[in-house]
Amino acid sequence: MAKTKFKINKKRFIPAVIFVVMLTVLLGSVVFELVLHGNSMMWGSSDMSIEAQKARAEKKNNPYGANKKDPYLVLVNKDNQMTDKDKPNSTKAVEHYTDTATTETCTMETRAANAFNRLTSAAEDDGVEIVLTTGYRSYSTQKKLYDYYVNKFGKSKANKQSAKPGWSEHQTGLAADTSSPEVNYQLTQDYADTAAGKWLAKHAHTYGFIIRYPKGKQDITGYEYEPWHIRYVGTKAAGVIYKNNLTLEEYLGED
Ligand SMILES: [Zn+2]
């Protein structure tokens, strides 16, 4: 009987070895984890590095990683106005504009104008006519327009009809009011249902433009839905804004 006392039972030996190996691996990884991250496991996240804290704050203020130094992302709205000195570095006339446009308002900031030309030419290839009604509007032009409305209708009505000088995004040279023959080249919300309006909503971002005052975002932009007013921000920002259904304010974390 003594012989059989130390005889290894093979049926039980193999599962026992597997069990011991697994237990060792498990214990080993717990110990390794404690050594590696012991601090944070014992004291929570209070020892989060300054860099990590900075990154977290940055993400909160800039949720989409916008390059806030990019001049093409300049924000003009109810909280951010331009001065009478602000104007684009260079402007040029776009290719397709209405005959109501002046030698100034048929222009846009040069890079935006080039992008606008690519946009209208691509629309044309799809059988859609899109034209510019107003591009760049200088501070003094905006002032003349605003004063005209004030003289004609009084101040409170004028404030609804026209932006005050310095308050219009058109002063950046990056904004464009567009229209088409379907709405007789007028600026109207009906434009959204035209071939031109639909084409613009679907493709503008490909050329670096966004619908600046989208439907249902008046609380953020301060403007009612304007399906005709597009704004150049560059293709990268426009793509993110389009994909996430944002306003420029939200993209910049300034909403
Ligand atoms: Zn406009």
Side-chain angles (χ1 to χ4, degrees), residues 170 177 226 228-229:
H170 287 276
D177 290 336
E226 290 194 1
W228 62 84
H229 179 117

Side-chain angles (χ1 to χ4, degrees), residues 158-191:
N159 285 340
K160 287 183 187 136
Q161 299 271 328
S162 161
K164 289 177 196 156
W167 289 62
S168 171
E169 195 180 48
H170 287 276
Q171 197 186 324
T172 64
L174 303 173
D177 290 336
T178 69
S179 197
S180 78
E182 300 154 284
V183 286
N184 201 24
Y185 302 107
Q186 299 301 302
L187 302 182
T188 156
Q189 287 188 346
D190 293 343
Y191 184 56

Side-chain angles (χ1 to χ4, degrees), residues 3-52:
K3 264 187 179 178
T4 55
K5 201 178 176 182
F6 300 104
K7 199 177 172 187
I8 293 163
N9 183 337
K10 279 186 185 168
K11 273 189 183 165
R12 287 191 181 174
F13 178 72
I14 292 170
V17 166
I18 291 172
F19 177 75
V20 168
V21 167
M22 281 175 75
L23 196 68
T24 310
V25 168
L26 189 71
L27 281 171
S29 64
V30 168
V31 169
F32 180 74
E33 199 63 28
L34 270 171
V35 169
L36 205 66
H37 304 295
N39 281 354
S40 61
M41 282 176 88
M42 282 173 217
W43 291 294
S45 58
S46 64
D47 72 325
M48 188 166 58
S49 71
I50 305 283
E51 276 82 284

